[in-house]
Amino acid sequence: MAEHNEGWIKTTCAYCGVGCGIEARPKHSGELEIRGDKEHPSNYGKLCTKGIALGETVIHDGRLLSPTLKTSHGNKKLSWEAATTMVAEKFTQTIQEYGSDSVAFYVSGQLLTEDYYVANKLIKGFMGTANIDSNSRLCMASSVVGHKRAFGSDTVPVCYEDIEQAEMVVIVGSNLAWCHPVLFQRLRAAKQENPSLKIVVIDPRKTDTCEIANTHLPIESGSDVALFNGLLSHLIELDELDHEFISSHTDHFDETIKAALAQQDIEEITGLTSQQLIQFYSDFSSSDKVVTIYSQGVNQSSSGSDKVNSILNCHLATGKIGKVGCGPFSVTGQPNAMGGREIGALANTLTAHMEFDNPEHLQLVSDYWQTDTLATKPGLKAIDMFDAIDSGKIKAVWIMATNPMVSLPNSDKIRSALEKCPLVVVSDCIADTETSRLADVVLPAQGWSEKSGTVTNSERRISRQRRILPSPGEAKPDWWIISQVAQKMGFRQAFDYIHEGEIFAEYAKLTTLGNDNFERDLNLIGLTQLDDKGYSQLKPQQWPVTELQDKVINQRLLSNGLFYTPNKRARFVPVSYQAALAKTDDTHPLILNSGRVRDHWHTMSRTGLSPKLAEHTCEPFVQLHADTATKYHILDGQLAKVSNQQGEALVRAKVTSDIAPSQLFMPIHWNETTSKNSKPCTLIANTTDKLSGQPEFKHSAVAISAFTTVSCAVFISNGTVALDNIDYWARQKVAGGYLYRIESTLPVSELATILKEHLKVDGQRLISAESHNGKAQWLVLDNKKTTQLLSVQKGFEEEEITTLIELYVQSDEPANASNIIQTLASDSHSLTPA
Ligand SMILES: Nc1nc2c(c(=O)[nH]1)N[C@H]1C(S)=C(S)[C@@H](COP(=O)(O)OP(=O)(O)OC[C@H]3O[C@@H](n4cnc5c(=O)[nH]c(N)nc54)[C@H](O)[C@@H]3O)O[C@H]1N2
Ligand SMILES: Nc1nc2c(c(=O)[nH]1)N[C@H]1C(S)=C(S)[C@@H](COP(=O)(O)OP(=O)(O)OC[C@H]3O[C@@H](n4cnc5c(=O)[nH]c(N)nc54)[C@H](O)[C@@H]3O)O[C@H]1N2
Ligand code: SF4
Ligand SMILES: [Mo]
């Protein structure tokens, strides 16, 4: 039983790695009431816009309802028995015919720990290959490499309260205000309480995060290593080092200072002035307590791992680690990115912070899982995995809770790989994703509010997500789906779970094997005795968990000067600046950066269902500097084509001074299910950091040009509309339907003719009007309520679109369609009821 309190059930937010506690209560409408959990140590009752809107996103629009076989002759619904049998047989046959390494799982930080654990156990333990990688490869991999190189283990040492107790917070390559909003709110409150808290934001763009910053350092894209090598040199030159810490607890300091001191041309490389550099460096050295928060501006780079170590080097050199208010802080993106790293769903780790290159670990795990087919070597990382699918080495792939057609670089290559692959299985909550369009079998998974298990947030705190609502159709928990397939592959005993709590207990025990003295940081010994009730009522637990935490505790790691390397000493890592791989030239003179907006989550499968969230950013866009706009004759609000050798995208130009003239920025959220052609990944090459395998998402060479629009339309419909043959469209959720913004090179009348085809007239009254000069057309479908509303003109002001939305939303009265037409066509025209 979950914790009840006037019907409120405690759970954890579906979105970012802050991991806010939520209380949810079902409403009669099927939606949920949502409020922040005042007792949860991530947020103490606060929530951001996305968390608050979760209640609106539990509607069943677009849900995948049954296991389905997709063939060129059409779709066929399958029973779970038939679907899981088919998937099991196909994986078994592929392994028999082509060997274990011919199969792969591509999984996600949006799975629960229990799902993740079962997937990892099946493929590494029983299918005999480590070809399982997570979308965390796109997100956290460089941090993992950095941590392992420096600390000997993937250890995040800090707690959230450290940022509140720091004297200085450095935010590098993170738009905290939009991507970790509640952590940002906590930092803002700390600054209000203590105005002397210094905040520095290091980002090529001026973002909303800069609102609370003392300084914004608009660094050149990709140059962070040079900046932090400069900081280390400064610390050496001024002798602001913690000599005692360095000599007692670290290795490789001498090589590292040599590399740092050899760093030339820091001003030129970073684009920062000597004054800006000196100020930053002296603030860092004069503050005893510094936290450096970093995210994708650091990780998603061909030098991501080195960027991470350049930051860790500075914290180690000053001993600003493992102490109150101190430390490097890699914030996690997805709700369970940390959980995935724990259970080891990355191709190059075994499980539970145990490694392939350690024979003792291999033995412990194969004994524990009672298997003699444990994978003994790392598998393929995400980019290599999709290359292997493309080249035919991998012949069967199971994709769970991620949408690689949108989120992996070089979308065309991903498409070609999936089209060729003999077996593509996709588990998702949504029926139509770009990836599921290419699947052979789709399996319906339970979504947030239906599924049950645990997630771990950025500060290593494990919280329960609880089931609150029934699932639609035949949706099932991911762990159940995987276990059914495992059983049908012949591994019945190892996967006969009947409840997620059992899986958690098995995982907790695994973390304790060969770990009596906490040789590994990840140890959940205090959770190994949980019974069903204990699991059901589990309060947030921050690992390592020595005993069940009944109250909130905050423990930082690496406080005793002992690290997880063989000699227990931390390692400095010598690094030197390497330019990003993509080079601009005369034909592709601009750097494309990509990332997130405040109110959307990734491919919008959930945030795209909330009218409120849609209002913040209605359309895909490209942010560009005013000088760049002038140079390429692009007006603010006009459509622009961003292109390179690999592909092109069409998006709305947003002219600003918040970005350098050399850069463009595009959001990652819109894709072919929500717009015509607006994905940054179409333009991004699959080049990676050599060590981490993480793609360089933030630095591609592109060109930009204006798109000449001749006609525009606004189409509001109570259901989704397939607008394939139109130059540009983007979809936005509005109350009771979807709004499409449409642009075209065709004259108004021709665009209107095409769009009229999409009006679903059957049995309804069509009311239409046309302006005398043929420059505008309006059409409204009406039965009891306006179901579709279409307006085609040369162009729209934003206020006109707002009026249309209001007219649509308020059109409950049967007679309203005529009124709508009157309003729309007020300054003209012949009104012709059709
Ligand atoms: N609203 C919202 N929040 C989210 C998500 C979401 O989809 N929507 N997704 C979640 C996930 S999975 C993740 S991983 C996180 C990501 O969280 P963030 O990393 O904060 O988000 P991004 O927008 O990807 O990138 C952050 C910043 O890096 C900057 N940057 C680009 N290149 C460089 C560089 O070379 N150096 C430096 N210093 N900075 C650079 C970009 O300009 C950008 O402002 O957000 C999580 N939270
Ligand atoms: N250009 C560019 N590309 C990027 C990035 C960038 O900054 N720039 N960032 C990268 C990063 S950091 C990330 S994390 C990725 C994110 O990219 P993706 O992981 O591809 O994005 P999502 O839309 O979150 O995909 C999750 C899918 O899982 C489904 N889903 C949700 N919950 C469940 C569940 O419980 N079970 C199952 N089976 N399915 C579920 C959703 O419906 C959705 O289709 O994008 C990466 N790609
Ligand atoms: S900050 Fe993150 S976890 Fe918290 S409510 Fe917002 S999206 Fe959810
Ligand atoms: Mo991420």
Side-chain angles (χ1 to χ4, degrees), residues 207-334:
T207 61
D208 275 14
T209 306
C210 300
E211 267 173 29
I212 60 164
N214 300 66
T215 318
H216 167 222
L217 299 178
I219 193 176
E220 282 289 340
S221 170
S223 66
D224 305 73
V225 170
L227 176 72
F228 284 94
N229 267 347
L231 172 56
L232 187 57
S233 303
H234 173 93
L235 298 168
I236 295 159
E237 279 153 15
L238 270 73
D239 196 17
E240 294 278 0
L241 304 168
D242 185 338
H243 292 288
E244 156 58 21
F245 182 82
I246 294 170
S247 62
S248 311
H249 301 298
T250 71
D251 287 330
H252 308 300
F253 185 57
D254 293 342
E255 303 96 286
T256 304
I257 33 182
K258 224 165 129 190
L261 291 170
Q263 186 73 62
Q264 303 278 314
D265 308 322
I266 297 176
E267 287 168 45
E268 202 189 337
I269 294 171
T270 59
L272 301 172
T273 63
S274 66
Q275 216 179 352
Q276 285 175 311
L277 293 170
I278 289 166
Q279 183 68 48
F280 169 53
Y281 293 165
S282 52
D283 284 345
F284 188 99
S285 56
S286 64
S287 306
D288 286 333
K289 298 179 185 170
V290 182
V291 172
T292 305
I293 297 176
Y294 62 93
S295 186
Q296 302 316 330
V298 169
N299 291 336
Q300 288 173 342
S301 154
S302 51
S303 57
S305 306
D306 285 354
K307 286 188 182 187
V308 172
N309 285 102
S310 72
I311 294 170
L312 304 187
N313 285 341
C314 295
H315 279 270
L316 289 171
T318 49
K320 287 171 183 158
I321 191 161
K323 293 181 195 157
V324 173
C326 283
F329 190 13
S330 148
V331 280
T332 51
Q334 298 172 94

Side-chain angles (χ1 to χ4, degrees), residues 139 296 333-334 596 602:
C139 185
Q296 302 316 330
Q334 298 172 94
R596 289 144 175 88
H602 299 169

Side-chain angles (χ1 to χ4, degrees), residues 12-22 42-43 46-52 54 178-183 185 333 335 601:
T12 314
C13 180
Y15 300 115
C16 83
V18 178
C20 293
I22 279 184
S42 296
N43 55 321
K46 294 191 172 92
L47 291 177
C48 76
T49 46
K50 292 188 299 301
I52 292 167
L54 268 168
W178 283 8
C179 296
H180 297 88
V182 166
L183 211 51
Q185 288 174 31
W601 177 263

Side-chain angles (χ1 to χ4, degrees), residues 252-553:
H252 308 300
F253 185 57
D254 293 342
E255 303 96 286
T256 304
I257 33 182
K258 224 165 129 190
L261 291 170
Q263 186 73 62
Q264 303 278 314
D265 308 322
I266 297 176
E267 287 168 45
E268 202 189 337
I269 294 171
T270 59
L272 301 172
T273 63
S274 66
Q275 216 179 352
Q276 285 175 311
L277 293 170
I278 289 166
Q279 183 68 48
F280 169 53
Y281 293 165
S282 52
D283 284 345
F284 188 99
S285 56
S286 64
S287 306
D288 286 333
K289 298 179 185 170
V290 182
V291 172
T292 305
I293 297 176
Y294 62 93
S295 186
Q296 302 316 330
V298 169
N299 291 336
Q300 288 173 342
S301 154
S302 51
S303 57
S305 306
D306 285 354
K307 286 188 182 187
V308 172
N309 285 102
S310 72
I311 294 170
L312 304 187
N313 285 341
C314 295
H315 279 270
L316 289 171
T318 49
K320 287 171 183 158
I321 191 161
K323 293 181 195 157
V324 173
C326 283
F329 190 13
S330 148
V331 280
T332 51
Q334 298 172 94
N336 202 27
M338 187 66 96
R341 284 149 72 181
E342 291 164 10
I343 72 95
L346 288 166
N348 53 326
T349 61
L350 181 54
T351 181
H353 287 204
M354 288 185 267
E355 302 297 339
F356 282 111
D357 60 6
N358 184 325
E360 212 177 295
H361 289 170
L362 290 171
Q363 194 61 50
L364 284 169
V365 176
S366 46
D367 290 349
Y368 187 64
W369 283 345
Q370 297 185 1
T371 178
D372 46 19
T373 47
L374 184 72
T376 52
K377 61 173 194 339
L380 295 175
K381 300 185 182 118
I383 298 293
D384 300 333
M385 180 188 283
F386 278 81
D387 282 350
I389 298 173
D390 196 45
S391 71
K393 278 197 204 109
I394 289 177
K395 297 182 190 306
V397 62
W398 188 350
I399 298 166
M400 305 176 203
T402 178
N403 194 349
M405 270 298 297
V406 183
S407 52
L408 277 176
N410 197 349
S411 316
D412 282 352
K413 178 147 197 197
I414 305 302
R415 179 191 304 282
S416 120
L418 292 177
E419 275 172 356
K420 277 183 226 162
C421 188
L423 177 68
V424 178
V425 182
V426 171
S427 303
D428 206 292
C429 316
I430 298 297
D432 181 30
T433 74
E434 272 199 51
T435 303
S436 72
R437 287 177 184 178
L438 301 170
D440 301 297
V441 183
V442 288
L443 304 173
Q446 288 181 341
W448 182 85
S449 82
E450 299 153 19
K451 59 186 185 177
S452 161
T454 54
V455 290
T456 311
N457 72 3
S458 296
E459 59 162 0
R460 311 181 314 278
R461 208 176 295 273
I462 299 169
S463 298
R464 284 294 318 272
Q465 274 195 10
R466 294 191 168 89
R467 184 176 299 129
I468 301 160
L469 295 173
S471 3
E474 295 174 60
K476 291 283 189 191
D478 287 286
W479 65 260
W480 182 90
I481 305 171
I482 304 159
S483 302
Q484 287 298 308
V485 170
Q487 291 189 23
K488 287 171 180 132
M489 290 182 77
F491 315 121
R492 191 159 300 275
Q493 221 182 338
F495 293 90
D496 62 350
Y497 306 111
I498 46 170
H499 186 266
E500 56 276 9
E502 271 177 71
I503 303 169
F504 186 82
E506 183 180 314
Y507 157 63
K509 183 137 180 260
L510 177 72
T511 66
T512 68
L513 300 182
N515 202 8
D516 295 346
N517 301 309
F518 287 70
E519 291 86 350
R520 301 192 303 273
D521 54 354
L522 172 65
N523 190 323
L524 306 181
I525 186 138
L527 301 178
T528 49
Q529 301 304 320
L530 282 183
D531 55 13
D532 284 356
K533 186 163 167 231
Y535 179 74
S536 161
Q537 297 183 347
L538 191 68
K539 291 184 174 164
Q541 307 284 313
Q542 190 185 39
W543 65 257
V545 187
T546 41
E547 53 188 49
L548 187 67
Q549 296 160 11
D550 206 30
K551 294 201 189 70
V552 173
I553 62 161

